[in-house]
Amino acid sequence: MRTPFTTKKEPAKHERWMELALALAHKGVGLTRPNPPVGAVIVRNGRLIASGFHKRAGAGHAEVIALKKASEKAKDASLYVTLEPCSSFGKTPPCVNAIIKSGIREVIVATRDPNPRHQGRGLFALKKAGLKVIEGVCRNEAQILIEPFKKWILTGRPYVSLKLAVSLDGKIADRLGHSRWITGTRSREEVQALRRRVDAILVGAGTIIADDPSLLPRPPKGRHIYRIVLDARGCIPPGAQILRDDSRHQTIIVTSRTCPPKTIHAWEKANVQVWILPSQNGRIAIPPLMVKIGQMGLLHVLCEGGSEVADSLVREKTVDEFVFFVAPCLIGGHNALSAFGGNGWLLKNAPRLTFTECRFIGKDILIRAKPEDYHWLHWRHGYGSF
């Protein structure tokens, strides 16, 4: 059933300005946790008056930034915003109050606030104040933009992207354990861009032992991401970068009761965070891990390996998006490392994916895919089940 705020088909003129608002919103991706990225544009008589985007939690919201820039020029103008304006007090006052006070005559919104406590309230307040409200312009693009926030606000868990750099035959390292570099320079640059869009990087201890990576985006461009390492038995070497560099206070090592107390003490002395969580078959249990990450207000996690972690995430139906970088090379061999550890799946039970993007990136191919057989809305609060 249609609401009074929704039109069947919006004029193409609205799409032009909403696309600009979306482009602005993307500038804030990776900076706003635990808030969603939002962009806003103010237009009058077909001309751009002002614009803004949400830069960080606690800072001005996109609409307010744009309204301050527009000043008195906002009167009788149109406001384009990628997400329903907020209607409640938080770290900043409600945006709807500022919009109504500014003299804006119409508000064009891409998508509603996914938070059930707030959904539709901002639109209702604007309508009640006499403003024209149009909803749904570039809705799909706006909903993709806030997927991590939506999952977190509805389930308490982060959105998980699993990145894998693989040979054409699905290997992530040769029989000697060498993985640098399967993919080309362009792919590695894209991985840095991926890191800048998330709140945390997740890997297993094996990745730290094999490669000693920093896991930080280069260049960071203002991002301060967390590094989460799963190490149930305490195998990370004391000289690892993640324990020594200037970002070690944003390193989280997740371990279990089987880890020696002296190892935990050494990690804590290095000024890293240590979580002790349940384990299953020698691995950190994924459901309580996701709950813990969500409690920190981290919306989006990028898993970069290794094969055992990837296997655990898929088996627990935790992956929301797969990002494959496929290189035009063959590694072969029984002893080479496959993308997924464990015993694999019988064909009849094999996880099925739906491709959402496929394009060349240098000599490699970038493939994005989503799981076919589940949706995170099926999760219950707590540790979750299906």
Side-chain angles (χ1 to χ4, degrees):
M1 181 178 178
R2 288 175 52 221
T3 71
F5 317 126
T6 307
T7 60
K8 283 185 177 180
K9 188 175 182 180
E10 304 304 337
K13 68 175 183 178
H14 290 318
E15 294 176 0
R16 170 194 172 192
W17 297 115
M18 189 61 77
E19 286 169 358
L20 177 57
L22 286 163
L24 288 166
H26 277 281
K27 291 184 177 182
V29 172
L31 294 170
T32 63
R33 66 174 182 261
N35 296 340
V38 181
V41 169
I42 297 175
V43 177
R44 189 169 68 178
N45 298 326
R47 296 181 60 187
L48 177 65
I49 301 299
S51 63
F53 69 95
H54 187 41
K55 296 181 179 180
R56 60 179 174 82
H61 288 190
E63 307 95 308
V64 172
I65 291 172
L67 288 169
K68 285 182 178 179
K69 290 180 181 179
S71 189
E72 70 277 359
K73 293 181 181 178
K75 185 173 174 59
D76 295 326
S78 300
L79 170 66
Y80 292 80
V81 61
T82 58
L83 183 66
E84 176 182 358
C86 64
S87 57
S88 60
F89 281 90
K91 292 183 178 179
T92 59
C95 289
V96 292
N97 293 1
I99 295 169
I100 294 168
K101 186 178 179 181
S102 71
I104 287 283
R105 66 177 175 83
E106 71 172 353
V107 179
I108 300 91
V109 177
T111 189
R112 291 191 175 199
D113 189 332
N115 189 334
R117 294 185 300 172
H118 302 154
Q119 191 175 83
R121 286 177 55 184
L123 301 182
F124 179 80
L126 295 171
K127 187 74 173 179
K128 187 177 180 181
L131 281 71
K132 179 181 179 182
V133 177
I134 298 173
E135 181 187 354
V137 178
C138 299
R139 179 187 283 114
N140 289 342
E141 295 89 338
Q143 288 182 344
I144 290 171
L145 175 69
I146 64 165
E147 272 187 320
F149 173 74
K150 183 177 181 180
K151 181 179 179 182
W152 178 75
I153 205 69
L154 293 179
T155 71
R157 294 172 177 77
Y159 185 92
V160 177
S161 297
L162 174 59
K163 185 274 293 184
L164 294 162
V166 299
S167 64
L168 199 57
D169 55 340
K171 306 296 184 181
I172 61 173
D174 64 21
R175 66 177 182 274
L176 299 179
H178 297 155
S179 59
R180 294 183 172 179
W181 298 103
I182 291 176
T183 53
T185 303
R186 288 277 305 280
S187 289
R188 297 198 292 276
E189 290 173 352
E190 184 69 18
V191 170
Q192 299 306 317
L194 271 175
R195 289 179 177 181
R196 286 190 289 270
R197 293 199 286 270
V198 304
D199 302 313
I201 305 294
L202 174 67
V203 299
T207 297
I208 302 299
I209 294 167
D211 299 329
D212 191 24
S214 77
L215 301 174
L216 297 172
R218 299 184 301 272
K221 296 186 178 181
R223 273 69 176 179
H224 300 283
I225 68 171
Y226 283 84
R227 301 171 295 191
I228 303 174
V229 184
L230 307 186
D231 187 1
R233 294 185 295 273
C235 301
I236 297 172
Q241 279 197 74
I242 60 166
L243 301 178
R244 295 183 294 105
D245 64 22
D246 292 339
S247 296
R248 58 187 180 276
H249 62 286
Q250 287 191 240
T251 296
I252 300 170
I253 299 178
V254 186
T255 191
S256 68
R257 297 291 179 189
T258 61
C259 182
K262 65 177 182 180
T263 301
I264 294 175
H265 177 71
W267 288 337
E268 292 174 336
K269 191 174 181 180
N271 199 29
V272 304
Q273 298 183 48
V274 180
W275 295 350
I276 300 175
L277 295 181
S279 61
Q280 295 175 347
N281 301 319
R283 299 183 187 180
I284 300 298
I286 297 301
L289 171 66
M290 291 298 130
V291 171
K292 185 74 173 177
I293 292 173
Q295 289 171 345
M296 281 195 66
L298 303 180
L299 313 184
H300 193 173
V301 172
L302 174 65
C303 177
E304 294 196 18
S307 63
E308 298 298 329
V309 177
D311 178 73
S312 294
L313 291 174
V314 174
R315 291 188 183 279
E316 290 291 344
K317 299 183 182 291
T318 303
V319 180
D320 298 286
E321 175 191 39
F322 293 82
V323 185
F324 297 95
F325 292 90
V326 184
C329 72
L330 301 173
I331 294 179
H334 296 298
N335 295 324
L337 193 59
S338 295
F340 297 94
N343 295 322
W345 295 269
L346 296 176
L347 184 58
K348 65 179 181 179
N349 298 323
R352 299 287 178 173
L353 311 181
T354 298
F355 294 142
T356 59
E357 181 184 2
C358 184
R359 61 183 169 91
F360 281 105
I361 180 162
K363 294 181 179 180
D364 305 324
I365 295 176
L366 169 63
I367 299 173
R368 291 180 184 270
K370 287 183 175 292
E372 214 177 55
D373 63 343
Y374 80 100
H375 192 276
W376 49 260
L377 282 176
H378 295 156
W379 282 77
R380 301 170 187 163
H381 287 282
Y383 281 359
S385 61
F386 284 83

